[in-house]
Amino acid sequence: MNQLLKRKSRGDVWFDVINLTLLSVVMLLVLFPLYFVLIASFSDPNHIYSGDVWLVPKGFTLDGYARIFSDSSIWIGYANSILYAGLGTLIGVAVTVFAAYPLARKNLVGKSGLMWFLMITMFFSGGLIPTYLLIKDLHMLNTIWALVIPGAGSVFNVIIVRTFFQSSIPDELWEAASIDGCSNTRFFWSIVLPLSKSIIAVMVLYHVVGFWNGFFDALIYMNDESKYPLQLVLRNILVQNQVNSGMMMDVESYAAKMRVTELIKYGVIIVSSLPLLILYPFLQKYFVKGVMIGSIKG
Amino acid sequence: MKSVFKGAGILILTGAVVISGCSGDNSGAKNSDQAIAFNKTGLPIVEDAISLKMISPKAALAPEYSQMEIFKRLEEQTNVKIEWENIPDTDFTEKKNLLLASGNLPDAFYGAGFTDYELINYGKDGTIIPLEDLIDQYAPNLKALLDRRPDIKSSITAPDGHIYGLPSWEENNLGTNPFFHVINKKWLDKLGLDMPQTLDEYTAALVAFKTQDPNGNGKADEIPLSFMHMQWCMDIAGIFGAFGLPDNLEHRVVRDGKVIFTATQPEYKEALKYFNEKWYKQGLIDPESFTQDAAQYLAKGKTTDETLGSYIWWEKEEVVGTERGQDYALLSPLKGPDGDQTIGRSNGGGPGRGAFVITKENQNPEITMRWIDQQYEPYMAAQIHWGPLDVVFEKDESGKLVNFPLPEGTSAGEFRQKVAPGTGGPGVITIEDFGKVVDMEPRAQQRAKDLETYYDPYMEKENYPSIFFEPEELDKINRIESELIKYVNTQRGKFIVDGGVDEQWDNYVKTLEKMGLNELMEIYQNGLDRYNATLNK
């Protein structure tokens, strides 16, 4: 290594130096907002607004977190979110993979027709109210199924996974296996799935992130506060502390509310993104590989 | 391929049969409960318990309404059980629209905040029913209120003559002037200045704040005047009154029954010239006044060294904190160059019109009307708005509801959410009821006193009431007004900061006319005339 370094010309060294400096600057630009959110969640809002908070928290306080966690609904929200994300991901990934695999096989009858049928749903949908009526008539309102069933198996994901199967599971593999007496089902479970870990990891991440961040479906279909996912709970905590001129006709302490809102704003970001920040590194190695394979080859 | 389509066809057919079969079952279900023993007067309303389905928003801290003490008591008295579906208030608008659009209707919407548009449109297509006959027959409390206060009746009657929604109002008159003008009394004393009486004295005081280092820290960090441009309760609109015509956020005032658009009047022009030349050019206005948000503004009052000389906010302690609040004092309207001394009166502020609506699905509108009428009895209205007797209030010797002290560690606003439907709930507490039926909250009492001392003597007599417009009028207003007001406000900022009022004035007025100012004012004038006509009927 040292010898290699020595062989570098002055130009190379300068190139490295400039390169590293630029990249470090870019990295700082990306990391600083995240870091700021973190320290801001521990700081006194008045200091944040007068621009005093820079590198270390000023007026250290845990009031924001105390406020967020004192709300018991946040734990319920956490539990609900984990349940919804877990079950939703299971169903979603299963449906996606089961749909994609047959579509990847050349010998499926009516493949192009089915594909057209699926594609149409990508571009046309009934819209909010018909969908709501459908969910209502299926008696799925106010149940977990309203969140995990309607969105399971998005066509976009099916296409990604199908492309993956087509490009990385060669037909010869199936021929060889079937000569050895392997059935279709056995081939899928014992050969295709183990070879597709990376794309499944990608699907898992897509679904988990989707369910974790999603709040609109729950907003529309859930009436019972004890069934709210975390995002909706956090949204309510935040909005509830927001002030508007209409409410000021009410004799309320505007300043106190403002303060609480500012305090919890940053804490809420940290609390809600923590699980994903923890999950991501474990899936990251599959992620890069899977996305590249699935997307680029058409 | 062929068999696939065939299969799909069969599936669709069976599906259609199943669905139509289902809906066939539902239609006949709702005719069984006709023979209800219904009392036209007195309590209970029905002999055998009956239930009604209502949808209502609820604040995040509030329990389900079925658990709320006040509604339990109502149920006991009336024998009417309400099946509440509570939707968090933050999501209520979306869900309400969804329910109305999908035809998934309850018996009534409670605390519903229906807009004028919704009242008229859903009233026209029959989704919600007209209530005036029901009020006449079954709502003695509400009827008495409307007879006593024709302005409330006029304000909730739709242009087509029907009443679709019931009112909600706390008529405490606290909003008449939100622009409380505050000055640093300690600095004035230190610099040997009197409380300013005229605009010029005030300007001189601001100059002294800027130049003579009243906080004594050796730095020129004093902000003579900070505000928030065109924001409710934080704008300098009140100070325009020194030139004879106070401004407000709508730029719309009423004098002798005539609607005036302030932002094209000569008084307004003079004011802008003054603010630019005397204030902005001398650096007396905090330049951030035009951009800052409330959090930044509030932080300015709490810096380590005292830096705020003068500001506008409807409760001075909220900006500078309770302790420092003693250094500051309220200013009455200042006397202008020509001796004018007025302050505006906020527009609107009438009753909310959409607090309670009954839908076409309701099989028992009479019972529903009798139930809701309980809440228009003044004592009950107060309890619906602030919380029940024995929990929030006790009765004093004269029978007035007075507040218990708040539980340790809760704010008034939070506590109120937990025990009562609150501000948007049906029920009207009129100005006569305050002090006779119920006490105002302590902070509100203080504010009312300040208004009386500092502002009421100088206040405009009339305002633009909250008027129920025709949908076509609303369309026109929405089309013209938002752009127009945006333009006026931008120009107002520009004129104060950059000056050039004289040169650009004609052009500015012409642009406004092109944007439809005259048409807009005509609609407002017509609306006001119509309102006054029904009032005098």
Side-chain angles (χ1 to χ4, degrees), chain B residues 272-309:
Chain B
L272 290 180
K273 248 165 56 185
Y274 187 95
F275 297 149
N276 170 251
E277 276 163 20
K278 297 278 171 59
W279 290 0
Y280 201 86
K281 279 191 185 158
Q282 298 199 66
L284 305 182
I285 298 178
D286 174 10
E288 287 180 18
S289 295
F290 298 90
T291 51
Q292 65 193 345
D293 64 20
Q296 282 169 296
Y297 186 49
L298 289 171
K300 279 187 181 147
K302 299 178 187 93
T303 42
T304 337
D305 291 325
E306 205 163 295
T307 53
L308 263 186

Side-chain angles (χ1 to χ4, degrees), chain A residues 46 49 67 129 132-133 136 219-220 222-223 225 228 235-236 239-240 248 250-255 258, chain B residues 58 60-61 85 88 90-91 95 98-99 101-102 104 294-296 302 313-314 318 413-414 416 423 443:
Chain A
N46 284 329
Y49 269 98
R67 180 94 192 188
I129 290 170
Y132 178 85
L133 286 175
K136 181 189 150 222
L219 177 79
I220 299 296
M222 295 302 204
N223 294 328
E225 261 181 87
Y228 275 9
R235 175 173 173 274
N236 286 351
V239 182
Q240 163 206 336
M248 292 176 58
D250 200 358
V251 188
E252 292 252 13
S253 173
Y254 184 95
M258 280 303 292
Chain B
K58 89 174 179 60
L61 294 175
E85 185 176 320
T90 44
D91 311 335
K95 284 225 172 152
L98 201 58
L99 293 170
S102 65
N104 191 7
Q296 282 169 296
K302 299 178 187 93
W313 185 275
W314 85 331
E318 291 200 341
E414 276 179 37
R416 184 177 178 180
T423 326
R443 288 161 56 107

